[in-house]
């Protein structure tokens, strides 16, 4: 049974859940337990300071979108943490394909959900690591569902309602989303080879020559892989191989 708390308003669901974890922590020698069930989820009708990767801010109108954070306990080595990202994003993609449209969706590295060339949502995963193991992860998800108007400073947004021309029931969407994520998370981490293949097959602009900005210089390159540390791997038209961290490269869309 899914345990979900819905808040009318909060600063950030990730911050709320992180604060709850601090209250529920129990330490015993070198072990750490947290008295919160896996996939306990906090949703918000509105966030006053929604967070994206690094310093990015997530904007969403009140009561129109999915804004949630959930806790998981991967119990895997820290070096495998990108497997969690792959499983979660593929679960979100499953939800999009089943609930919104069966085609047109992709994962834009490292943490965005795209419909063709427009952004439907984003993910923020924060890991807590101890003795080289992931003790727990807070997974924050924002998906545009019923919002129709967006601020001008958001470059390429889209919502599920704009795609389908209908309004969605947010509460049911949240339950469907969590169900699809749990399924991917439960099975995906057990078969890393299959997980990686499906992730690459779902990657935005994978294996196609496109223009990027790499360290402020325009290049033409092809995405060829994402390495074990989650870095984007590209090969330029000149044959140079590049491995990029977040903020080192941007897409020309």
């Amino acid at each position: 049974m899914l345990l979900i708390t819905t808040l009318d308003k909060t600063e950030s669901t990730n911050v709320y859940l992180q604060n709850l974890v601090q209250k529920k922590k129990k330490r015993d020698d070198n072990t750490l337990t947290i008295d919160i069930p896996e996939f306990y989820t906090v949703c918000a009708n509105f966030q006053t300071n929604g967070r994206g990767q690094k310093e990015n801010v997530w904007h969403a109108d009140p009561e129109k979108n999915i804004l949630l954070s959930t806790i998981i306990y991967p119990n895997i080595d820290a070096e495998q943490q990108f497997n969690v990202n792959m499983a979660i994003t593929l679960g979100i993609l499953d939800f999009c394909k089943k609930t919104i449209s069966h085609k047109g969706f992709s994962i834009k590295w490292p943490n965005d959900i795209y419909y063709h060339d427009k952004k439907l949502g984003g993910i923020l995963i924060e890991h807590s690591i101890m003795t080289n193991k992931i003790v727990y992860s807070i997974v924050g998800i924002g998906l545009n569902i019923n919002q129709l108007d967006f601020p001008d400073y958001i470059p390429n947004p889209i919502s599920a309602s704009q795609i389908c021309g209908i309004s969605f029931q947010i509460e049911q969407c949240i339950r469907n989303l969590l169900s699809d994520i749990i399924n991917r998370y439960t099975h995906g981490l057990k078969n890393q080879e299959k997980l990686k293949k499906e992730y690459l097959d779902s990657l935005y602009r994978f294996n196609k020559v496109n223009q990027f900005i790499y360290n402020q210089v325009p290049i033409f390159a092809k995405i060829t892989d994402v390495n074990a540390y989650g870095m984007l791997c590209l090969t330029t038209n000149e044959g140079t191989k590049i491995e990029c961290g977040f903020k080192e490269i941007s897409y020309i869309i």
Side-chain angles (χ1 to χ4, degrees), residues 5-163:
T5 296
T6 301
L7 308 172
D8 183 52
K9 181 170 69 173
T10 188
E11 173 191 358
S12 158
T13 55
N14 264 38
V15 171
Y16 183 96
L17 196 47
Q18 288 283 15
N19 290 339
L20 183 62
V21 167
Q22 299 307 314
K23 297 177 183 177
K24 298 288 188 176
K25 277 183 178 180
K26 296 179 181 179
R27 291 187 180 274
D28 180 15
D29 297 327
N30 292 324
T31 63
L32 174 66
T33 58
I34 301 166
D35 189 22
I36 301 174
E38 189 165 48
F39 282 104
Y40 170 70
T41 300
V42 176
C43 303
N45 292 327
F46 181 65
Q47 292 184 135
T48 58
N49 188 27
R51 297 166 58 200
Q53 283 281 9
K54 303 295 183 182
E55 71 278 7
N56 293 346
V57 174
W58 180 263
H59 172 89
D61 282 352
E63 300 183 353
K64 292 184 179 180
N65 305 296
I66 292 178
L67 304 168
L68 67 79
S69 295
T70 192
I71 187 168
I72 57 175
Y73 303 101
N75 192 30
I76 58 176
D77 291 342
E79 290 80 5
Q80 297 178 307
Q81 62 185 268
F82 197 70
N83 289 343
V84 175
N85 182 290
M86 290 192 290
I88 297 297
T89 50
L90 283 171
I92 297 171
L93 222 60
D94 291 340
F95 162 79
C96 291
K97 291 175 180 178
K98 288 192 286 186
T99 303
I100 303 172
S101 174
H102 69 280
K103 60 182 180 179
F105 290 100
S106 62
I107 300 164
K108 179 174 170 288
W109 180 91
N111 65 328
D112 290 336
I113 302 299
Y114 262 47
Y115 178 73
H116 296 294
D117 292 325
K118 293 184 177 292
K119 181 175 177 178
L120 181 81
I123 306 102
L124 174 64
I125 303 178
E126 299 176 302
H127 300 288
S128 177
I129 297 170
M130 188 171 73
T131 61
N132 202 39
K133 287 281 188 180
I134 299 177
V135 180
Y136 68 91
S137 304
I138 302 293
V139 179
I141 300 169
L143 289 179
N144 302 323
I145 302 298
N146 290 328
Q147 188 161 337
L148 298 177
D149 297 309
F150 295 89
D152 292 338
Y153 64 81
I154 299 178
N156 58 337
I158 198 167
S159 69
S161 188
Q162 287 175 324
I163 294 169

Side-chain angles (χ1 to χ4, degrees), residues 236-252:
T236 69
N237 280 2
E238 295 75 32
T240 303
K241 296 186 183 300
I242 301 171
E243 291 185 342
C244 307
F246 185 62
K247 292 292 188 183
E248 290 182 327
I249 194 163
S250 57
Y251 297 71
I252 302 297

Side-chain angles (χ1 to χ4, degrees), residues 185-201:
Y185 170 79
T186 302
H187 298 97
L189 295 184
K190 296 176 182 177
N191 190 336
Q192 296 182 23
E193 185 176 339
K194 181 181 179 183
L195 180 71
K196 177 69 173 293
K197 182 181 185 305
E198 292 192 43
Y199 179 84
L200 291 178
D201 287 344

